[in-house]
């Protein structure tokens, strides 16, 4: 039991800080910038990314474990992972629409943005390359979702200051935001170097 929890926590911390999908791999930047500007959408996007990466990581672990010896598996990995993400997306939307219509009305505007972005698919590819146990797959999925929220909050907290009058006009907006993301990426890379 202790090793399962420690593997889960190690993989979650890896996904949050060291292999942060946004800051380390630049995956899902557009969605993070969208949620940083619109704070009311941040929670919906976070819940969607967390849910899909966690659930898809479970199925990815099973497919990696049982089909990795197949001759054409490496060629079909992107299609298999896209199928897993799409199945989670569709089944979740159908379940929400059928059993929780109030939640469905709130989440339908965020869920497609959160599910079909590079961070979700990239998290599955990265975890597949790292390998590990079922607990580490799930931990990395949770860590990717929480890391996505961390990136969104860091960019949201800094957006007012980055777009203030103290910043030269040529740097306001996207240029200073990308510089800020680069500085945060350098700071987070200090964890593993």
């Amino acid at each position: 039991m202790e090793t399962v929890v420690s593997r889960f926590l190690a993989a979650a911390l890896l996904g949050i800080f060291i292999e942060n999908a946004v800051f380390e791999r630049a995956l899902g930047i557009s969605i993070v910038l969208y949620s940083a500007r619109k704070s009311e959408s941040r929670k919906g996007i976070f819940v969607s990314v967390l849910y899909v990466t966690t659930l898809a990581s479970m199925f990815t672990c099973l497919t990696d474990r049982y089909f990795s010896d197949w001759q054409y598996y490496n060629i079909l990995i992107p299609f298999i992972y896209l199928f897993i993400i799409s199945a989670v997306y569709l089944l979740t939307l159908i379940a929400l629409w059928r059993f929780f219509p109030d939640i469905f009305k709130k989440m339908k505007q965020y869920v497609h943005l959160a599910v079909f972005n590079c961070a979700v698919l990239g998290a599955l590819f990265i975890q597949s390359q790292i390998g590990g146990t079922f607990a580490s797959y799930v931990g990395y999925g949770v860590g990717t979702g929480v890391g996505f929220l961390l990136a969104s909050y860091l960019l949201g907290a800094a957006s007012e200051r980055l777009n203030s009058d103290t910043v030269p006009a040529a740097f306001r907006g996207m240029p200073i935001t990308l510089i800020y993301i680069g500085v945060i990426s350098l700071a987070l890379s200090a964890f593993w170097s």
Side-chain angles (χ1 to χ4, degrees):
M1 180 67 175
E2 184 177 311
T3 59
V4 172
V5 173
S6 65
R7 287 182 180 159
F8 175 84
L9 288 176
L13 290 174
L14 179 76
I16 295 170
F17 296 112
I18 298 172
E19 291 285 334
N20 187 296
V22 176
F23 293 130
E24 187 63 31
R25 304 284 181 168
L27 299 173
I29 292 271
S30 60
I31 304 302
V32 168
L33 290 175
Y34 172 80
S35 69
R37 281 183 300 221
K38 298 186 176 201
S39 61
E40 66 273 358
S41 68
R42 192 175 297 145
K43 188 167 74 168
I45 290 175
F46 160 67
V47 169
S48 300
V49 169
L50 179 70
Y51 173 77
V52 171
T53 55
T54 304
L55 204 59
S57 292
M58 293 178 190
F59 291 114
T60 301
C61 177
L62 296 175
T63 57
D64 284 350
R65 188 164 292 154
Y66 293 114
F67 296 115
S68 63
D69 294 335
W70 187 43
Q71 180 180 357
Y72 301 108
Y73 183 68
N74 289 334
I75 297 170
L76 296 176
I77 281 178
F79 301 110
I80 293 170
Y81 289 177
L82 283 173
F83 176 77
I84 290 170
I85 292 169
S86 301
V88 168
Y89 169 74
L90 286 175
L91 293 175
T92 301
L93 278 184
I94 290 170
L96 285 176
W97 173 70
R98 180 74 177 121
F99 300 112
F100 305 103
D102 295 333
I103 296 173
F104 175 75
K105 288 177 187 174
K106 293 177 186 176
M107 295 297 288
K108 71 178 179 179
Q109 60 187 355
Y110 311 120
V111 73
H112 62 280
L113 290 173
V115 170
F116 295 108
N117 72 51
C118 299
V120 174
L121 186 61
L124 298 181
F125 281 129
I126 292 167
Q127 181 57 41
S128 178
Q129 294 301 314
I130 294 171
T133 63
F134 186 77
S136 65
Y137 271 80
V138 174
Y140 193 80
V142 170
T144 300
V146 174
F148 204 82
L149 178 70
L150 173 74
S152 178
Y153 271 115
L154 285 174
L155 290 173
S159 66
E160 185 178 315
R161 291 183 182 161
L162 293 175
N163 293 320
S164 69
D165 291 335
T166 59
V167 176
F171 283 107
R172 280 190 212 132
M174 190 60 73
I176 194 69
T177 304
L178 293 176
I179 291 170
Y180 179 72
I181 290 172
V183 170
I184 296 287
S185 299
L186 287 172
L188 286 177
S189 69
F191 278 119
W192 60 270
S193 56

